[in-house]
Amino acid sequence: MARVIFISPDGDKTEIEAECGSVMELAVEHDIEGIDGSCGGVCSCATCHVKVGREWLARTGPATDTEKDILSFEDNVDERSRLCCQIELTDELDGLVVETIAR
């Protein structure tokens, strides 16, 4: 079981637990504002762009080349930027903190 803490642009926190799936699937299932997942999680849009908490970067890993290509069309991208459809939930990610992006 992994717990994910979503932080909205205005600082509101929403904590959700899940057993499996991607962070995007969890967000869409729970109507987290700022995460649309328009492509359904196939890494072909940027509607699930999040910023991973700095303390979690080593555990989630860096964005893949495909993610970087897609994110290159987005504003407000930095080393913490990820497409959360590409972050699979594991027990090691229990407590993961991600910041959603204002759209």
Side-chain angles (χ1 to χ4, degrees):
M1 180 90 52
R3 182 175 38 100
V4 179
I5 301 162
F6 296 93
I7 301 176
S8 71
D10 60 5
D12 289 337
K13 294 180 182 180
T14 303
E15 188 173 316
I16 304 171
E17 287 189 7
E19 291 191 28
C20 62
S22 71
V23 173
M24 187 240 19
E25 291 168 331
L26 182 64
V28 169
E29 181 179 321
H30 292 275
D31 297 318
I32 298 297
E33 187 175 344
I35 300 179
D36 298 331
S38 295
C39 73
V42 297
C43 199
S44 66
C45 74
T47 63
C48 68
H49 175 199
V50 296
K51 301 240 179 159
V52 174
R54 290 194 190 283
E55 67 277 13
W56 291 95
L57 288 174
R59 287 189 234 176
T60 60
T64 65
D65 288 341
T66 302
E67 285 177 84
K68 289 176 185 176
D69 287 345
I70 293 166
L71 286 167
S72 69
F73 296 101
E74 288 289 295
D75 294 328
N76 197 20
V77 173
D78 62 25
E79 71 280 353
R80 299 185 310 127
S81 292
R82 290 293 307 271
L83 299 179
C84 65
C85 66
Q86 299 303 296
I87 303 173
E88 287 295 319
L89 294 171
T90 65
D91 290 342
E92 286 117 16
L93 293 182
D94 184 38
L96 175 65
V97 175
V98 296
E99 300 169 19
T100 60
I101 308 297
R103 302 217 178 270

